[in-house]
Amino acid sequence: MSKSKLAQHSNPEKLASELSILDRKHLLHPSTNPKAQVQHGPKLIFSGGKGIHLHDMKGNTYIDGVSMLWNVNLGHGQKELADASYQQMTNIAYASTFYGYANEPTVRLAEKIAALAPGDLNTIFFTSGGSESNDTAFKLSRFYWQLRGYTEKRKIISLRRGYHGVTVAAQRATGIDAYRNFSGSIDPDIDNAKAHLTECELGAKDHPEYEGSIRSIIEKEGKDRIAAVIVEPIQGAGGVHIPPEGYLKAVRKLCDEFDIHLIADEVICGFGRTGKMFGVDHWEIVPDFMSIAKGITSGYAQLGGVIMKEHIRDTITEYDDMLAHGFTYSGHPTACAVGLKNIEIIERDGLVSNASLMGQELEKGLHYLEDKYHFVTNGRTKGLLAGFDLMEDPKADIPFDGSVKAATTLVENCYERGLLIRPFDFEPGMNIVAIAPPLIVNKNDVEKIIQILDDALTAFSQKLKN
């Protein structure tokens, strides 16, 4: 069957079957079990979406409880973003920013982001997504130190359970073993530190967890070997871990003490997700670099970037030769036009404030579930970025046996009831469930999400008894 005939197929079920066969034959899926994919085909074939809902080719409707990959902040079927893309495409869809070329939407978006970012984060290097953004931040940090004469200042320190992408360097910086081991690079210039040890980063060397903290690595390596520390304001794919109060300020102070760059990975947290425009705004710190992507276009176009402080930009712009870094789609005009419209809608519709208010409703719902089910614990929210743990006995700190597959089972129960959320169980005893709906949700939507979770937890509880 030709592509055009396939697209016009009148029988949705038959079309879904044909697509499943083609998928298994021709497509290698990211972050998916390849063997299971070939054996069973795609779990879902999406056919459309509107608002917080998604539809599949079998006629089922789902609540998008994680904004797909934490990125569809404005929800699905947002016509204004489609119109912005169309208008730019009919004008000039693509123009390079290499060789000093420019275009209006790219320049306008750069100006807008500089106005939104905290402190003097006033210059952006555009990328196509989060992995490229973090890779670029590493490169620019190292390049800055080279220009300053610190040729050995190359090492990047990241955090365990942090997630920074899947390019070779960004994946090696990711603090999840399955990703680090897949990166194909045992990079001696990227170290993982223990996360969220506020006292250690403030200098408490007698702390039992001091060894392996950021400060201990800096002291062991020497500050003239460390280029930057990268942190997510809130760890996303590592399990929605919110730092203890004072932690990010402690890391900022530590980096200042040793003249080391602080990179904030805002790929998930940015553009309203946490109830502030950026995650760092909750703790009132200004990083030296800030990596962005995902919510900048709500997933409607591929776009990311690295925002940097003025003094870093000023040093780099003294370099009198070609900057040997750039992506084909750096500053893509259509993507930037979508980004501009996306930010306009976020501001116009008060969605940052809505994320904060609906996050409070989501927090109430998680407390309700914790009170009802003894195995639900550690509910946490920051705006519309939320998670909770499943444990056999939270009071005694006893996790579920691995054979129970608690998080995966619960997420599957939710899927059967029309809610898409995410499990995290990449460490022994870890059973974390993440929730991050689009920023357009209302109170009724949040209540529906909690209701489905409630029903799914009841089914899980009954399974445990049986």
Side-chain angles (χ1 to χ4, degrees):
M1 179 177 289
S2 70
K3 292 180 181 179
S4 59
K5 288 182 180 179
L6 188 63
Q8 298 169 12
H9 208 291
S10 60
N11 186 325
E13 288 192 10
K14 188 175 181 181
L15 175 57
S17 177
E18 292 173 352
L19 290 173
S20 180
I21 292 169
L22 292 172
D23 177 283
R24 282 181 275 181
K25 184 176 180 181
H26 298 295
L27 190 58
L28 183 63
H29 286 251
S31 297
T32 300
N33 183 316
K35 184 175 182 180
Q37 187 69 28
V38 170
Q39 289 178 340
H40 306 296
K43 184 174 184 176
L44 275 173
I45 302 179
F46 294 115
S47 61
K50 187 65 179 175
I52 69 165
H53 294 98
L54 289 160
H55 313 293
D56 71 10
M57 300 198 76
K58 296 180 180 179
N60 300 309
T61 297
Y62 304 87
I63 294 174
D64 185 356
V66 282
S67 304
M68 281 285 87
L69 288 175
W70 331 83
N71 60 333
V72 188
N73 286 5
L74 293 190
H76 303 276
Q78 172 53 259
K79 188 175 183 299
E80 287 184 85
L81 296 184
D83 288 344
S85 177
Y86 174 79
Q87 289 168 13
Q88 184 60 42
M89 281 188 174
T90 55
N91 185 20
I92 179 168
Y94 170 73
S96 173
T97 56
F98 283 35
Y99 319 123
Y101 299 161
N103 62 82
E104 185 173 1
T106 300
V107 174
R108 295 292 185 197
L109 183 57
E111 177 192 35
K112 182 62 179 178
I113 290 171
L116 292 174
D120 64 340
L121 290 163
N122 286 333
T123 299
I124 186 166
F125 183 101
F126 281 113
T127 70
S128 303
S131 299
E132 289 182 2
S133 295
N134 287 323
D135 238 40
T136 297
F138 298 165
K139 286 185 179 182
L140 292 180
S141 175
R142 289 165 170 168
F143 184 56
Y144 169 88
W145 293 121
Q146 288 173 18
L147 293 176
R148 292 281 308 278
Y150 297 98
T151 57
E152 299 300 313
K153 212 167 168 63
R154 297 183 44 80
K155 191 175 285 291
I156 307 296
I157 300 175
S158 58
L159 299 183
R160 295 178 191 174
R161 290 187 175 179
Y163 180 87
H164 303 294
V166 294
T167 54
V168 171
Q171 190 159 13
R172 191 62 188 163
T174 290
I176 301 170
D177 286 346
Y179 287 96
R180 283 173 63 78
N181 296 337
F182 190 81
S183 71
S185 170
I186 309 301
D187 191 331
D189 288 327
I190 299 179
D191 278 350
N192 258 179
K194 296 176 182 176
H196 298 166
L197 297 174
T198 307
E199 293 180 15
C200 296
E201 310 315 353
L202 289 173
K205 296 185 179 182
D206 58 346
H207 192 284
E209 294 292 323
Y210 183 77
E211 186 66 25
S213 66
I214 299 172
R215 181 177 285 272
S216 77
I217 293 173
I218 294 171
E219 291 177 342
K220 185 180 297 181
E221 294 285 341
K223 70 174 187 176
D224 289 339
R225 288 179 50 80
I226 311 295
V229 173
I230 184 169
V231 299
E232 296 165 279
I234 298 170
Q235 291 184 333
V240 191
H241 301 291
I242 300 172
E245 203 58 42
Y247 177 75
L248 290 179
K249 285 189 175 181
V251 176
R252 173 71 276 182
K253 184 178 179 181
L254 175 65
C255 289
D256 289 340
E257 178 184 344
F258 290 107
D259 200 17
I260 291 167
H261 289 147
L262 176 59
I263 304 169
D265 180 346
E266 290 270 359
V267 171
I268 288 174
C269 295
F271 300 97
R273 169 59 55 193
T274 67
K276 298 277 190 180
M277 185 57 76
F278 298 104
V280 293
D281 294 338
H282 288 281
W283 294 280
E284 298 179 339
I285 68 160
V286 180
D288 300 291
F289 292 94
M290 194 158 72
S291 298
I292 57 172
K294 292 190 184 290
I296 189 174
T297 64
S298 287
Y300 282 66
Q302 302 94 322
L303 185 64
V306 178
I307 319 168
M308 67 201 77
K309 281 188 170 181
E310 282 189 0
H311 79 274
I312 295 173
R313 183 256 187 192
D314 290 345
T315 296
I316 292 174
T317 55
E318 287 297 311
Y319 181 65
D320 192 16
D321 202 344
M322 184 188 72
L323 184 70
H325 181 61
F327 303 102
T328 298
Y329 299 118
S330 290
H332 192 292
T334 301
C336 289
V338 172
L340 275 167
K341 179 58 69 172
N342 180 70
I343 294 170
E344 177 188 320
I345 295 169
I346 288 173
E347 292 186 319
R348 182 195 71 200
D349 294 351
L351 295 182
V352 178
S353 175
N354 190 64
S356 179
L357 292 171
M358 291 305 102
Q360 293 171 28
E361 295 299 320
L362 187 55
E363 185 176 25
K364 291 177 188 175
L366 293 184
H367 287 326
Y368 161 77
L369 297 176
E370 287 188 64
D371 291 341
K372 184 171 181 179
Y373 301 96
H374 76 275
F375 49 80
V376 177
T377 186
N378 194 26
R380 62 264 192 195
T381 62
K382 209 68 159 172
L384 288 171
L385 184 56
F388 62 89
D389 293 66
L390 300 172
M391 296 188 72
E392 182 175 328
D393 187 345
K395 291 182 179 179
D397 198 30
I398 299 174
F400 280 109
D401 185 83
S403 63
V404 176
K405 297 186 180 301
T408 301
T409 299
L410 177 62
V411 168
E412 185 65 22
N413 288 348
C414 289
Y415 164 73
E416 292 168 358
R417 290 161 175 79
L419 172 64
L420 304 180
I421 52 178
R422 285 182 68 174
F424 298 107
D425 55 3
F426 53 81
E427 293 178 3
M430 173 189 279
N431 282 287
I432 295 172
V433 176
I435 310 165
L439 309 190
I440 60 172
V441 290
N442 58 40
K443 187 175 179 181
N444 289 336
D445 297 329
V446 174
E447 289 174 351
K448 180 64 175 176
I449 290 170
I450 295 300
Q451 177 191 326
I452 294 174
L453 277 166
D454 194 358
D455 292 343
L457 285 163
T458 295
F460 176 70
S461 181
Q462 291 171 345
K463 182 179 179 181
L464 290 176
K465 292 176 182 177
N466 295 334

